[in-house]
């Protein structure tokens, strides 16, 4: 999956899980839990939504890698 497709998938998933987040203005460095205020359940729903839309499964050991918007996009692009 290329970066553009991964970015679109991540932004769509964030919009689905946290509809109050402005996905147009998302910065790559934004931390999912702290800056976007996703709680643990929201974060898990985000990971599940991405798995359903892209087929990319994210094991718990990789959660630190996907802690930011940019990290998640890079992860999906690499594994998609």
């Amino acid at each position: 999956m290329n970066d553009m497709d991964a970015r679109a998938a991540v932004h769509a998933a964030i919009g689905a899980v946290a509809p109050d987040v402005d996905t147009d203005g998302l910065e790559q460095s934004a931390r999912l839990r702290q800056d976007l205020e996703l709680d643990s359940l929201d974060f898990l729903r985000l990971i599940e939504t991405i798995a359903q839309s892209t087929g990319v499964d994210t094991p718990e050991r990789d959660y630190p890698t996907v802690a930011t918007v940019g990290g998640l996009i890079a992860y999906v692009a690499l594994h998609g």
Side-chain angles (χ1 to χ4, degrees):
M1 177 177 294
N2 65 37
D3 286 345
M4 183 178 287
D5 291 339
R7 181 182 317 275
V10 167
H11 283 204
I14 290 172
V17 171
D20 55 328
V21 172
D22 176 16
T23 56
D24 291 335
L26 278 178
E27 294 187 19
Q28 299 291 307
S29 62
R31 297 171 296 175
L32 298 171
R33 293 186 182 193
Q34 295 88 351
D35 297 330
L36 302 186
E37 299 181 356
L38 300 182
D39 62 22
S40 297
L41 185 57
D42 290 337
F43 180 78
L44 292 176
R45 286 180 36 221
L46 176 63
I47 295 300
E48 289 174 6
T49 300
I50 288 174
Q52 291 172 349
S53 66
T54 67
V56 174
D57 288 320
T58 308
E60 189 172 343
R61 68 176 179 274
D62 290 343
Y63 287 0
T65 304
V66 299
T68 64
V69 172
L72 185 54
I73 291 170
Y75 190 89
V76 171
L78 180 64
H79 295 88

